Amino acid sequence: MTGTYEHSLDSAGRLIVPAKLREELGSQFYLAVGVKENLTLYPMAAWNKLQERVANLTTAQAASMDVFFASAQLCEPDKQWRFQVPSYLKDYAKIDRDVVITGNNDRAQIWSAENWKAKTEQQLNPEHIAALLEGLGI
């Protein structure tokens, strides 16, 4: 998935899936915490791959994923492609109203507009992009 989409939560705490991500996310997907005060949307294929990897861990290693899986929500958007963002996930990601949804390879991420602005100010520069590409051997 790729792209950057600015949206807002409605008064009921629902978020609309950007039209360009709908086919890739599908009619059911998972919403879970991200690693940088953000949230992640996993299409079923990516979620299943994640679950398989965790299933292959030792019990002790898998225990580290307890809170991650406990916080995850299966989402089924309504006819307008809206889904509910639970308050505890909004709190985790510091989301009030305005969000930025970004494509991120096989998943999408949801950022508070403020957190996304700070991230791009820090990382969207030629030196950082060059270092990323060089690290990939490109």
Side-chain angles (χ1 to χ4, degrees), residues 1 3 5 10 22 25 27 31 39 48 52 59 61 66-68 77 82 85-86 88 90 94-95 107 120 122-123 133:
M1 288 183 222
Y5 311 92
D10 66 15
R22 292 175 186 174
L25 279 172
S27 61
L31 173 64
L39 303 176
N48 292 337
E52 287 175 26
T59 302
Q61 291 171 323
D66 289 350
V67 173
F68 175 83
R82 298 173 302 189
V85 180
Y88 67 91
K90 289 188 285 190
K94 297 185 173 29
I95 292 171
R107 63 199 70 169
T120 58
Q122 180 186 34
Q123 296 181 0
L133 294 175

Side-chain angles (χ1 to χ4, degrees), residues 7-122:
H7 285 274
S8 298
L9 294 174
D10 66 15
S11 59
R14 295 173 299 193
L15 183 59
I16 192 164
V17 175
K20 292 186 178 182
L21 299 181
R22 292 175 186 174
E23 185 175 331
E24 291 177 275
L25 279 172
S27 61
Q28 288 186 325
F29 50 86
Y30 275 89
L31 173 64
V33 295
V35 297
K36 298 275 187 165
E37 286 188 340
N38 65 329
L39 303 176
T40 303
L41 296 172
Y42 292 89
M44 293 306 288
W47 184 258
N48 292 337
K49 184 178 174 181
L50 173 66
Q51 284 186 311
E52 287 175 26
R53 291 194 66 183
V54 172
N56 290 322
L57 298 174
T58 66
T59 302
Q61 291 171 323
S64 65
M65 298 293 290
D66 289 350
V67 173
F68 175 83
F69 282 109
S71 69
Q73 296 284 311
L74 177 63
C75 297
E76 297 182 51
D78 64 16
K79 291 179 182 179
Q80 287 81 37
W81 280 90
R82 298 173 302 189
F83 64 96
Q84 189 72 40
V85 180
S87 60
Y88 67 91
L89 290 177
K90 289 188 285 190
D91 292 344
Y92 173 83
K94 297 185 173 29
I95 292 171
D96 182 25
R97 184 172 188 278
D98 296 328
V99 301
V100 177
I101 302 169
T102 61
N104 189 303
N105 194 16
D106 64 347
R107 63 199 70 169
Q109 296 179 322
I110 303 170
W111 299 83
S112 71
E114 289 178 20
N115 282 355
W116 181 250
K117 181 180 178 188
K119 183 175 181 67
T120 58
E121 286 175 353
Q122 180 186 34

